[in-house]
Amino acid sequence: MPPQPPEATAQDATRKHLLETAGEVFAEVGFRAATVREICLRAEANIAAVNYHFGDKERLYTAVLQDTCRVALETYPPNLGLAAKATPEQRLSAFVRSFLLRIFSEGPAARHGKLMAREMIEPTGALDDLVRENVQPMAAMLKSIVRSLVGPGASEETLRLCAMSVVSQVLFYHHCRPVVRRLYPDLKFGSVELEQLAEHITQFSLAAIKQLGKARKKRGGK
Amino acid sequence: MPPQPPEATAQDATRKHLLETAGEVFAEVGFRAATVREICLRAEANIAAVNYHFGDKERLYTAVLQDTCRVALETYPPNLGLAAKATPEQRLSAFVRSFLLRIFSEGPAARHGKLMAREMIEPTGALDDLVRENVQPMAAMLKSIVRSLVGPGASEETLRLCAMSVVSQVLFYHHCRPVVRRLYPDLKFGSVELEQLAEHITQFSLAAIKQLGKARKKRGGK
Amino acid sequence: MPPQPPEATAQDATRKHLLETAGEVFAEVGFRAATVREICLRAEANIAAVNYHFGDKERLYTAVLQDTCRVALETYPPNLGLAAKATPEQRLSAFVRSFLLRIFSEGPAARHGKLMAREMIEPTGALDDLVRENVQPMAAMLKSIVRSLVGPGASEETLRLCAMSVVSQVLFYHHCRPVVRRLYPDLKFGSVELEQLAEHITQFSLAAIKQLGKARKKRGGK
Amino acid sequence: MPPQPPEATAQDATRKHLLETAGEVFAEVGFRAATVREICLRAEANIAAVNYHFGDKERLYTAVLQDTCRVALETYPPNLGLAAKATPEQRLSAFVRSFLLRIFSEGPAARHGKLMAREMIEPTGALDDLVRENVQPMAAMLKSIVRSLVGPGASEETLRLCAMSVVSQVLFYHHCRPVVRRLYPDLKFGSVELEQLAEHITQFSLAAIKQLGKARKKRGGK
DNA sequence: CATGAATGAGCCTTCATTCAT
DNA sequence: CATGAATGAAGGCTCATTCAT
């Protein structure tokens, strides 16, 4: 008998189910279009269950956002279990791959990507916390990787710009999927294709970053 | 009897005004949150004007999308009036700059960027036409630029991947602005900063593309 | 054909009907217990009619309060068409009688009394205006009557106290009707009984006020 | 085995606390607006405690009404500890003063006044008992005072009318406080002002009653 | 033709009450 | 026994759309 989590009450079960179902619905149609009725119906809960467990629709949404974020990061950790003494190149590759896998996964973890994309269009109060607690550390990690690659002495601005150039390439395929799909109908995003994509983004970025590093040294600074 | 264009002005004026106002409202709050009432109120038109002129809210939206796209491309053409014999580097730079200016502009042209960002989240039927008529040519133009840079013989896939890497860096700042603003509160997007940003993206991309070109030649193909 | 009130449109008819019906319902069960559904149902109007014509339930209530007040004062004017040179005694009698008739009437004018009674328990924002525009003038009128009766030189405080003693006797029978009915089940409030009641209140008050006037003179002022 | 009253304290304590808290809430916002949740929350009791101890919200209200009435009469008894051989004038004065103090007091006793005022607007079943057991005796007491003042031989109707004229003046300031406050914003109801008010009502009523007594004798009857 | 009064479906939320534990 | 999670009816309000004028 496994060490049962303490107090796995009926309440928690309903709450959890609600959280999961709401995640689905919010990811599918967004906060506004999602209706409490639909969520409760799918979760086989009473229409008043949302208000009872979360106060109101908005707080349910906040809880969903935080929960999906946690799940996504647990499922695809940014370093992908890399050895401690990995090279910067390996670390960049892992970062890109885990990021891609995270937002293109098909499971519950994928919902976070959809929710975040919607959050970019209409930010809610929940975004502040999310950026501070989750995005910030990721950005710092990536910047440290870039610093290792571009060499010491690079300005904060350079690090920031390069980090964003890396991130942008990953996010693009997720965010602009509707356009990409229409431009290249044959393009798929299976695991093979994702690996190829990760390889391209990594190589493209490595080439650029290293080149910038060389150019900086030649100019003797900055 | 002349083809009475000057006659129908009263109607056309209302229609045009409605189109413009709807563009504002849709860009501000999105399709769902926008209300026909609000649009008609701002346009000083009757509440039934939308249904009268455009059939329903959705067809108004489609008309708005097409209109804003036209305006945006007219205001910031992709080549920025470049000389015919411009170098590939100049053409890439112009492409990046015009793209950035287009989506970060503060005017009617900027609305298109916002609407497209929303379209990425919940594509409507209008997106098909838009991609075919506007995005496709832009993509082709960028790919030809990349081809000039990477050298002859590069695969279609390589061209496509590189083109997307370029585009993604531009779009990122627009699409993820809510996160960027929270990560770097001091970052501004005035004309000076946009120029610097364009410079970075251009240099980053040039370095990567050329490097990939060299690597390919060394490997002797693909 | 009578001089038709200008613009007696269909809109006004619905609005007026709604106002009347809402008056009934609010008087019967109060603001909170009254439901927009019930009001619209009784008025044979759409469920959204209240919001359309009055904005929301609260503003409908305010409109009802103002309207019933107007009707009540038009139906039973405070001076009851008294001659200009009426004696103070006659004016007091008319004031008391018209007040009693107003709050005990059975028609639409009676609703105002019920609404005001509820307003005493839970005042709304509408009360401020009502007191300023309707109660204030009535109070001034009564005070001038009392001044004529008590003789010159009486303090403002005395006038106020006496005026309130008069008003209180009238309102009591309306406000405490539930208790009065239980104490004296045989008591009726038909027109005959109201006349007797008016006579008592008038005589009781006259006796008191004149006596106070005499006492004051003996003491040589105040 | 003794009749275990000390046993059941835990339950009784909750019940009593609930009664007290409900009194507060009902007096503040009325029966309808009061929520069982709020009452249980303030009483630090379970949400189901009301139904458990009192059956439902309505029966809780009835219990509250009876309890507050008891407390109010215990705190401000109608004769204010008057000597047995007090004059009718003194008894009237005591009656008026105790009545005023009761309804204007700032404590648990005051709640009864507020509840009764609401009961006047929407009587509940609890009113019958209350009138029979509490109001009736008070009315009888006041009528006997009036009889002493107006002289023997006065009709029941006269006694009743005069008694009500007295009571009405007291209740008016409590019941119409919202209007009074708006008419005379500077008016306060501290202990000093209440004494002055009691004095006015007493003198006003005494003057009227005695005058009516004289008039009756002159006319020789009734 | 162009208007704006009117519609009714549907949304979020509240609340007294119940019932298994 | 006492609890609190769960219920479901009902309320106010919004909004795209319609239709008689």
Side-chain angles (χ1 to χ4, degrees), chain B:
Chain B
M1 200 178 182
Q4 49 176 24
E7 277 295 306
T9 31
Q11 267 198 58
D12 286 0
T14 300
R15 202 190 128 95
K16 197 174 178 181
H17 200 184
L18 227 34
L19 209 55
E20 182 121 358
T21 310
E24 287 175 21
V25 178
F26 283 139
E28 284 172 16
V29 300
F31 177 75
R32 267 194 79 93
T35 71
V36 173
R37 268 197 153 69
E38 168 77 4
I39 291 170
C40 291
L41 216 66
R42 281 210 215 173
E44 292 174 13
N46 187 275
I47 174 105
V50 162
N51 285 53
Y52 181 75
H53 284 284
F54 297 91
D56 60 11
K57 188 187 175 187
E58 198 165 339
R59 270 174 286 186
L60 166 62
Y61 175 77
T62 301
V64 163
L65 208 56
Q66 290 168 345
D67 186 62
T68 57
C69 186
R70 185 183 51 73
V71 169
L73 285 177
E74 280 176 3
T75 313
Y76 299 93
N79 59 8
L80 279 183
L82 221 55
K85 44 175 74 173
T87 65
E89 285 82 358
Q90 288 173 320
R91 290 172 65 209
L92 181 66
S93 173
F95 185 92
V96 168
R97 281 186 62 230
S98 73
F99 206 156
L100 263 179
L101 291 174
R102 191 152 58 231
I103 61 182
F104 274 97
S105 75
E106 303 276 351
R111 292 204 285 263
H112 186 60
K114 297 183 184 173
L115 292 175
M116 283 299 284
R118 293 183 181 280
E119 199 73 14
M120 293 305 94
I121 302 299
E122 291 178 53
T124 68
L127 188 57
D128 289 327
D129 289 352
L130 229 57
V131 168
R132 183 160 16 84
E133 293 170 20
N134 298 99
V135 181
Q136 187 83 262
M138 297 268 289
M141 177 187 296
L142 180 56
K143 275 208 289 197
S144 90
I145 296 175
V146 172
R147 182 180 291 114
S148 310
L149 290 167
V150 81
S155 69
E156 264 301 303
E157 189 192 0
T158 300
L159 297 180
R160 193 194 68 219
L161 285 168
C162 287
M164 296 219 183
S165 284
V166 171
V167 167
S168 68
Q169 295 176 71
V170 174
L171 285 176
F172 171 79
Y173 289 90
H174 183 256
H175 176 231
C176 294
R177 213 197 292 204
V179 164
V180 172
R181 188 156 33 205
R182 281 164 178 77
L183 272 180
Y184 308 106
D186 299 333
L187 223 54
K188 297 284 176 291
F189 290 96
S191 48
V192 177
E193 290 85 1
L194 284 180
E195 289 298 334
Q196 292 176 344
L197 191 53
E199 180 65 14
H200 164 77
I201 294 175
T202 305
Q203 293 310 323
F204 189 97
S205 302
L206 273 177
I209 293 172
K210 289 184 175 173
Q211 185 65 27
L212 291 187
K214 284 187 203 161
R216 191 181 50 76
K217 282 177 190 158
K218 275 187 192 161
R219 289 200 319 277
K222 171 151 186 192

Side-chain angles (χ1 to χ4, degrees), chain D:
Chain D
M1 200 176 182
Q4 50 175 24
E7 278 295 305
T9 30
Q11 267 199 58
D12 286 1
T14 300
R15 201 190 128 95
K16 196 174 177 180
H17 200 185
L18 226 35
L19 208 56
E20 183 123 353
T21 310
E24 285 174 23
V25 178
F26 283 140
E28 283 172 18
V29 302
F31 178 75
R32 267 195 80 94
T35 72
V36 172
R37 265 196 157 69
E38 167 78 3
I39 292 170
C40 291
L41 216 67
R42 281 210 215 174
E44 292 173 13
N46 186 274
I47 175 113
V50 162
N51 284 54
Y52 180 75
H53 284 283
F54 297 91
D56 61 11
K57 188 186 176 188
E58 197 164 339
R59 270 173 286 185
L60 167 62
Y61 175 77
T62 301
V64 162
L65 207 57
Q66 290 168 345
D67 187 62
T68 58
C69 186
R70 186 183 51 73
V71 169
L73 286 177
E74 280 175 3
T75 313
Y76 298 94
N79 60 8
L80 280 182
L82 220 55
K85 44 177 74 174
T87 65
E89 284 82 359
Q90 287 173 320
R91 291 172 64 207
L92 181 67
S93 174
F95 185 94
V96 168
R97 281 185 62 229
S98 72
F99 206 156
L100 264 177
L101 290 175
R102 194 154 55 231
I103 62 182
F104 273 97
S105 76
E106 302 277 351
R111 293 206 284 263
H112 184 60
K114 296 183 185 170
L115 292 175
M116 282 299 285
R118 292 183 182 280
E119 199 73 13
M120 294 303 94
I121 302 299
E122 291 178 53
T124 67
L127 189 56
D128 288 328
D129 288 351
L130 229 56
V131 169
R132 182 156 21 84
E133 292 170 20
N134 297 101
V135 181
Q136 188 82 262
M138 297 268 290
M141 178 187 296
L142 181 55
K143 276 208 289 197
S144 89
I145 297 175
V146 172
R147 182 178 291 115
S148 308
L149 290 167
V150 79
S155 70
E156 266 301 303
E157 190 191 358
T158 301
L159 298 180
R160 195 195 65 219
L161 286 168
C162 287
M164 296 216 181
S165 284
V166 172
V167 167
S168 68
Q169 295 176 70
V170 174
L171 286 176
F172 172 80
Y173 289 91
H174 183 256
H175 176 233
C176 294
R177 215 197 290 206
V179 163
V180 172
R181 193 162 23 211
R182 281 165 177 78
L183 272 181
Y184 308 105
D186 298 333
L187 222 55
K188 298 287 177 291
F189 289 97
S191 49
V192 178
E193 290 84 0
L194 285 181
E195 289 298 332
Q196 293 175 346
L197 191 53
E199 180 65 15
H200 164 77
I201 294 175
T202 305
Q203 293 311 325
F204 189 96
S205 303
L206 273 178
I209 294 173
K210 288 183 174 174
Q211 185 65 28
L212 291 187
K214 282 187 205 162
R216 191 180 50 77
K217 281 176 191 158
K218 273 187 192 161
R219 290 200 318 279
K222 178 160 186 185

Side-chain angles (χ1 to χ4, degrees), chain C residues 61-173:
Chain C
Y61 176 76
T62 301
V64 163
L65 210 56
Q66 290 169 344
D67 187 63
T68 57
C69 185
R70 186 183 51 73
V71 169
L73 285 178
E74 279 176 3
T75 313
Y76 300 94
N79 58 9
L80 281 182
L82 221 54
K85 43 177 71 176
T87 64
E89 284 82 0
Q90 287 174 320
R91 292 172 64 206
L92 181 67
S93 174
F95 185 94
V96 168
R97 280 185 62 228
S98 71
F99 205 157
L100 264 177
L101 291 173
R102 194 152 55 229
I103 62 182
F104 274 97
S105 75
E106 293 289 345
R111 291 203 285 264
H112 186 61
K114 296 183 185 174
L115 293 174
M116 282 299 284
R118 291 184 181 281
E119 199 73 14
M120 294 304 93
I121 300 299
E122 291 177 50
T124 68
L127 188 57
D128 288 327
D129 288 351
L130 228 57
V131 168
R132 184 158 17 84
E133 293 171 20
N134 298 99
V135 180
Q136 187 84 262
M138 297 268 290
M141 178 188 295
L142 181 55
K143 277 208 290 197
S144 90
I145 296 175
V146 173
R147 183 179 288 115
S148 308
L149 290 166
V150 79
S155 71
E156 267 299 305
E157 190 192 358
T158 301
L159 298 179
R160 195 193 66 218
L161 286 167
C162 287
M164 295 217 181
S165 284
V166 172
V167 167
S168 69
Q169 296 176 69
V170 174
L171 286 176
F172 172 80
Y173 288 91

